[in-house]
Amino acid sequence: MPIRLPALSSDPTAPFPPARTARVDPDGLLAMGGDLSPARLINAYRHGIFPWYSHGQPILWWCPDPRTVFDTGQVRLSSKFRRLLRRSDWTVTADTAFAEVIRQCAATPREGQDGTWITPEMIAAYDTLHRLGHAHSVEVFDGDDRLVGGLYGVAIGRMFFGESMYSAASGGSKVALAGLARQLSAWGWPLMDAKVENDHLLSLGAQLWPREAFLAQVENLTRLDAPAGPWTARFGRLPARDLGHPPP
């Protein structure tokens, strides 16, 4: 039986349907249609909503319950991995290779997925958000300046919404996530959205929050003052070996 969903209007600033009306199966499916304009995407993220669809489908909008969330001060790395990092020559940066990171995320095979949801239209939309200073990448480079992992997402106020991450070398995405969490925590940003749970995220310390609690925090944090723009200088160059020790 076809799923009947609310269709979004042509106005990118128009309200989304209330999150409580999202479907239970599939979890969090809320609406369809609209576009991927910057105004629409920022409107969506301010309300804890994100696009997720495959090639050939209409744009689908989601707000699952529960929501997978990281406390930026509680990302968990194993003792063994921390010991390895203390000898690492890797470096973590931000907004130095956004286009490469998002394309690598799109090209990385995912267990249980046939193809990618990061379509060319999605790449173009987030490239635009990046140029406007709302989408950011975190990169991990090895000692030879080769990109070995990264992630990207959207920042509004003091809330970061993670989109995707990848590794080209073992541990690359974990270092990107831990490096981002370290910097966000230092800036006074308490949460990172990770959307939907999986075993890997849970092993790194992700928590499952009721949607209502998550949306309340999103409403508060997206209102806090944090200017849009590149993070390159603010983030700096974080030696991965520093992640082998507890934060100061």
Side-chain angles (χ1 to χ4, degrees):
M1 186 179 204
I3 296 174
R4 294 184 178 180
L5 290 172
L8 300 183
S9 79
S10 60
D11 177 3
T13 65
F16 281 82
R20 67 177 182 276
T21 64
R23 294 182 62 88
V24 175
D25 184 17
D27 178 29
L29 183 55
L30 179 66
M32 63 180 290
D35 56 35
L36 296 174
S37 65
R40 178 94 63 182
L41 287 170
I42 291 170
N43 184 24
Y45 283 103
R46 282 190 182 278
H47 296 88
I49 298 164
F50 58 89
W52 190 19
Y53 66 103
S54 299
H55 179 71
Q57 292 181 326
I59 300 172
L60 301 176
W61 301 89
W62 303 76
C63 190
D65 186 18
R67 193 67 165 245
T68 305
V69 179
F70 281 99
D71 177 327
T72 58
Q74 299 294 325
V75 171
R76 186 167 61 233
L77 300 177
S78 70
S79 297
K80 179 180 179 181
F81 191 63
R82 287 187 183 275
R83 287 195 297 272
L84 290 173
L85 287 179
R86 290 171 200 157
R87 303 190 298 273
S88 174
D89 63 357
W90 290 2
T91 303
V92 189
T93 62
D95 288 341
T96 66
F98 184 88
E100 180 65 15
V101 167
I102 192 171
R103 284 162 178 77
Q104 289 293 339
C105 287
T108 298
R110 311 284 175 178
E111 185 176 354
Q113 293 185 20
D114 182 14
T116 180
W117 56 271
I118 308 175
T119 63
E121 294 77 16
M122 292 280 273
I123 291 174
Y126 286 88
D127 276 341
T128 300
L129 271 190
H130 174 63
R131 291 195 299 272
L132 294 173
H134 298 292
H136 302 279
S137 60
V138 174
E139 306 88 22
V140 182
F141 292 97
D142 69 11
D144 295 320
D145 210 29
R146 293 176 298 201
L147 194 61
V148 294
L151 61 80
Y152 76 97
V154 175
I156 301 175
R158 294 189 186 180
M159 181 71 201
F160 186 82
F161 302 88
E163 279 295 311
S164 186
M165 58 185 183
Y166 85 100
S167 293
S170 179
S173 63
K174 288 194 287 188
V175 170
L177 180 70
L180 174 61
R182 176 74 63 93
Q183 299 296 65
L184 292 181
S185 180
W187 296 348
W189 296 40
L191 295 179
M192 297 188 297
D193 175 32
K195 294 190 173 61
V196 180
E197 69 176 289
N198 61 44
D199 290 343
H200 179 59
L201 295 176
L202 295 176
S203 74
L204 294 171
Q207 306 167 19
L208 301 182
W209 282 26
R211 180 169 55 208
E212 185 176 351
F214 170 75
L215 294 179
Q217 286 297 309
V218 167
E219 182 178 7
N220 291 332
L221 293 170
T222 56
R223 289 178 176 175
L224 296 178
D225 182 40
W231 282 359
T232 309
R234 186 182 186 191
F235 196 100
R237 296 180 64 86
L238 174 65
R241 62 178 176 271
D242 288 357
L243 301 173
H245 304 278

